Amino acid sequence: MSTAMSKRGKLVAALCAAAVALLPSAMPGLTHAADVSAQGVPARPAPGPSPDPSLPAHALATADAPLDNPLKGFARFLQPGVDPNAGYPLSLTWAYFGLSEVMTDPNNCSSYNWSIVDNALNTIAAAGNHAAIRLYMEYPGGGTGTHPGNAVPACFNGQVPMRHNAYWDTTSPDYDNPFLMNGLKNFITAFGARYDGDPRLGYIHLGLIGLWGEWHTWPYDTDTSGDTYPNYMPTNANAADILNTYNRAFTRTRLELRYADNAGGAANTLPRIGYHDDSFCYREAGQGVTLPISMGGAPWAQLQKALENGVENRWTTASMGGEVRPEIQSVAFANWPGGSGPVDNMKACIELEHTTWKINERSLEYSPSDPNVAAAVRLMGYNLTVRNAYFHNTAQGTTKVGVQIDNTGVAPFYYPWTMSLGLKDAAGNVVRTWDTSWDLREVQPTRIRAFPDWGVGADPTYRDFGHARYFDAPVDLNGLNTGNYRLVLKAKNPLEAINANAKKLRFANAGQNPDGWLDLGAMTVGAGQSQRSYEAEASGNTLAGGAVTSACGGCSGGTKVGYIGNGGTLRFNNVDGGTGGTRTVTLHYATQESRSARIQANALAPQTVSFPPTPDWVTPKTTTVSVTLSAGQGNTITLSNPSGWAPDIDKITVS
């Protein structure tokens, strides 16, 4: 046996030994509530805008998405000497850290040495992967790898009472001690200040409290009625204080908590906090520990607790992670889509938990061609397909491009990665790109599986949920050489700024390229007319009914026109229509709320255009509309809103 394999074998054995003892057949301290307070069927999201009827539709062929799409699927432990990308394709790597490895100064609990975390994150990023991490103070069995079993920082000595967990032979600090509470909250604040939004990080487990940082100290837990063990857990108030400190410190990087009822259910009102199920889809003594009671689960099962706390739909705003129970990792998908023996109904576990990712060390042994594992991985998290692209085959000046995306996974994409359009030349070089305001987080799963507890049908019952989401944006073709190009689309992985080989988000389309760019179709760029710009505040325009000019630091010329609508109108005069015909008008606007306006060219029928919110009232965004203009410079374009306020207008461009 090689040295690397020996280390891995010891790790798997340790994981299994810990997990076997972790959830006995009657798990004390995790009782289920008498009155289930399930949230029920979630409200279906609004469908969003319809495709622009003026743009030709181009249907895109579908294909299987890759198995190592970023931020989803399996994660394996970071181990020295083991290739992070060996075995089954993945994009995540898991790492533990002892708190004492960061709080290293024995005399100062406010001094932090982040080198061990940074070194691990850099190693993981160098493999093109994102990291999922957890910090702990108690790790049964003497720790993991090179990390210590007793990771209580030395600076707590003499300040914080220490207890002995005789069942696990761990040192358990007094989690209610004010000195410890202050130390943990200061650490979390510094942790967030350093790493929130770090492109190397995918997910953070809250950790710190309890065995393995899993927010339980069994059997020294809150249930003291049937045993002689004292309670080593913090009070709900103190646990909630830790939870809320995390919620304030991390507003961008995704956080996950072990159980829905931790801290007395304090996370119930914190939509950014997800959950991690570390005994995923295991059956023990005939009961499941993920699926709810209604599906043969135990009273302490992960989803039973979610139902009782009314957070079974938390996946709509926060990620669901955890670990495939180590004892079943080698056979977890052998009977897909169901299960057998200690493996519960795996498809139901993924669909009802809306699982995005799981630690799965034994996935190192899976065959990349195993169809069962592939089906499960593609179901986990997001699975995005561009159904149609919308654009003119031949375009010039400023034109509009749209796409329609749907999601056949069980969860949304959770990060606001920049979506960019581009053009590739005949040699495959990207010659121009345009960043858009499109948000992939809006593409929710098209259908969801109903809990039997919802009472909407026999299991399995599926409900329509998300819609094929339409986005569009203007692209400026001015300055490009005339000729034939390929229109392409990409979601930019921020990790690419650190490592160009970072795993690319790829769509389930036949035209998806390994470089991350999805081929939308051929576009010919014509010679066209030049683009003409018209300031809203120009003296030749007509303002009526209360419309006025005002200062705007971010606007062209430092001025805009507001109070359009409710009787107020802005009319652009002397607009050049060139040789006449259909022209694209790009409206530069500002509004902190969604508004609409009627756009009327000359005396033709007006069109109603929607304007999404901008960051503030002085940072313009753009939207486009196609209008018909007469030849020459005698055209007018009028903006109004007879039933409400329109956005403030900076300028328009016509091409």
Side-chain angles (χ1 to χ4, degrees), residues 477-494:
L477 303 175
N478 287 297
L480 282 167
N481 293 329
T482 60
N484 299 321
Y485 297 87
R486 303 299 299 186
L487 184 64
V488 290
L489 170 70
K490 182 178 183 179
K492 292 183 179 178
N493 183 347

Side-chain angles (χ1 to χ4, degrees), residues 153-428:
C155 63
F156 287 167
N157 293 340
Q159 302 287 344
V160 179
M162 301 293 165
R163 295 85 55 92
H164 182 226
N165 184 321
Y167 190 94
W168 297 102
D169 192 23
T170 62
T171 298
S172 184
D174 179 359
Y175 291 105
D176 288 320
N177 177 269
F179 187 88
L180 178 139
M181 282 290 298
N182 187 62
L184 291 185
K185 290 194 293 181
N186 287 343
F187 166 78
I188 294 165
T189 300
F191 188 24
R194 185 176 181 88
Y195 291 109
D196 186 32
D198 191 309
R200 298 171 296 177
L201 272 169
Y203 306 99
I204 296 175
H205 287 181
L206 268 59
L208 299 179
I209 293 175
L211 303 164
W212 299 279
E214 285 188 4
W215 285 57
H216 75 84
T217 50
W218 184 87
Y220 293 78
D221 54 19
T222 55
D223 181 7
T224 59
S225 60
D227 57 44
T228 60
Y229 298 103
N231 176 22
Y232 284 179
M233 283 294 287
T235 64
N236 284 340
N238 281 334
D241 202 2
I242 295 296
L243 181 62
N244 282 294
T245 303
Y246 263 116
N247 192 57
R248 290 190 296 269
F250 288 90
T251 60
R252 291 173 290 173
T253 301
R254 290 291 167 175
L255 300 175
E256 296 173 355
L257 175 67
R258 179 62 178 95
Y259 299 107
D261 60 350
N262 280 138
N268 293 357
T269 57
L270 301 176
R272 290 203 308 271
I273 304 294
Y275 300 100
H276 59 92
D277 178 359
D278 290 346
S279 288
F280 183 70
C281 219
Y282 185 58
R283 287 188 67 82
E284 188 169 43
Q287 294 180 303
V289 296
T290 290
L291 295 176
I293 291 173
S294 61
M295 301 181 73
W300 56 85
Q302 185 82 5
L303 292 178
Q304 182 64 30
K305 287 298 179 185
L307 286 164
E308 290 170 3
N309 283 271
V311 292
E312 73 270 26
N313 297 320
R314 177 57 56 84
W315 61 271
T316 60
T317 58
S319 59
M320 301 293 139
E323 181 175 24
V324 177
R325 181 77 168 224
E327 299 97 307
I328 64 171
Q329 288 179 5
S330 63
V331 296
F333 305 98
N335 292 285
W336 175 268
S340 178
V343 181
D344 212 339
N345 186 325
M346 183 59 70
K347 189 167 187 279
C349 288
I350 292 173
E351 289 181 328
L352 289 172
E353 190 178 87
H354 296 267
T355 304
T356 285
W357 72 279
K358 294 294 177 193
I359 303 168
N360 186 351
E361 188 65 18
R362 300 293 291 273
S363 68
L364 183 68
E365 303 160 9
Y366 294 170
S367 168
S369 62
D370 187 322
N372 292 354
V373 181
V377 167
R378 291 190 174 106
L379 185 61
M380 293 167 69
Y382 63 91
N383 195 61
L384 301 170
T385 305
V386 178
R387 298 294 175 181
N388 295 285
Y390 299 84
F391 59 91
H392 295 289
N393 294 31
T394 300
Q396 56 197 30
T398 297
T399 188
K400 184 189 287 186
V401 174
V403 295
Q404 191 175 52
I405 307 173
D406 70 16
N407 181 358
T408 55
V410 298
F413 187 75
Y414 290 108
Y415 280 98
W417 287 6
T418 299
M419 297 286 290
S420 298
L421 291 163
L423 281 183
K424 285 186 174 182
D425 63 17

Side-chain angles (χ1 to χ4, degrees), residues 105-129:
D105 190 332
N107 302 309
N108 185 355
C109 285
S110 295
S111 176
Y112 312 110
N113 180 353
W114 301 106
S115 59
I116 191 169
V117 178
D118 277 325
N119 289 341
L121 297 185
N122 287 336
T123 299
I124 293 168
N129 297 334

Side-chain angles (χ1 to χ4, degrees), residues 41-59:
V41 181
R44 193 176 186 192
S50 299
D52 187 332
S54 70
L55 297 175
H58 304 261

Side-chain angles (χ1 to χ4, degrees), residues 1-12 15 73-90 92-93 129 324 329-331 333 358-370 373 377:
M1 181 179 289
S2 70
T3 301
M5 286 303 293
S6 177
K7 289 179 180 178
R8 188 188 65 78
K10 290 178 181 178
L11 174 63
V12 172
L15 291 172
F74 299 138
R76 288 196 299 274
F77 279 69
L78 177 65
Q79 298 185 69
V82 178
D83 179 2
N85 288 313
Y88 200 80
L90 51 68
L92 288 165
T93 302
N129 297 334
V324 177
Q329 288 179 5
S330 63
V331 296
F333 305 98
K358 294 294 177 193
I359 303 168
N360 186 351
E361 188 65 18
R362 300 293 291 273
S363 68
L364 183 68
E365 303 160 9
Y366 294 170
S367 168
S369 62
D370 187 322
V373 181
V377 167

Side-chain angles (χ1 to χ4, degrees), residues 481-562:
N481 293 329
T482 60
N484 299 321
Y485 297 87
R486 303 299 299 186
L487 184 64
V488 290
L489 170 70
K490 182 178 183 179
K492 292 183 179 178
N493 183 347
L495 192 60
E496 291 182 64
I498 296 173
N499 177 9
N501 295 321
K503 305 292 170 60
K504 311 298 190 294
L505 188 154
R506 287 146 291 170
F507 294 91
N509 286 99
Q512 179 65 63
N513 296 304
D515 62 2
W517 290 102
L518 170 65
D519 191 291
L520 300 179
M523 174 181 279
T524 298
V525 175
Q529 66 175 31
S530 61
Q531 187 180 77
R532 295 171 176 83
S533 180
Y534 302 88
E535 295 289 338
E537 70 275 12
S539 59
N541 295 337
T542 302
L543 281 62
V548 296
T549 61
S550 63
C552 174
C555 294
S556 173
T559 308
K560 63 181 179 180
V561 172

Side-chain angles (χ1 to χ4, degrees), residues 633-644:
Q633 299 181 3
N635 295 278
T636 63
I637 296 177
T638 304
L639 284 79
S640 64
N641 186 338
S643 59

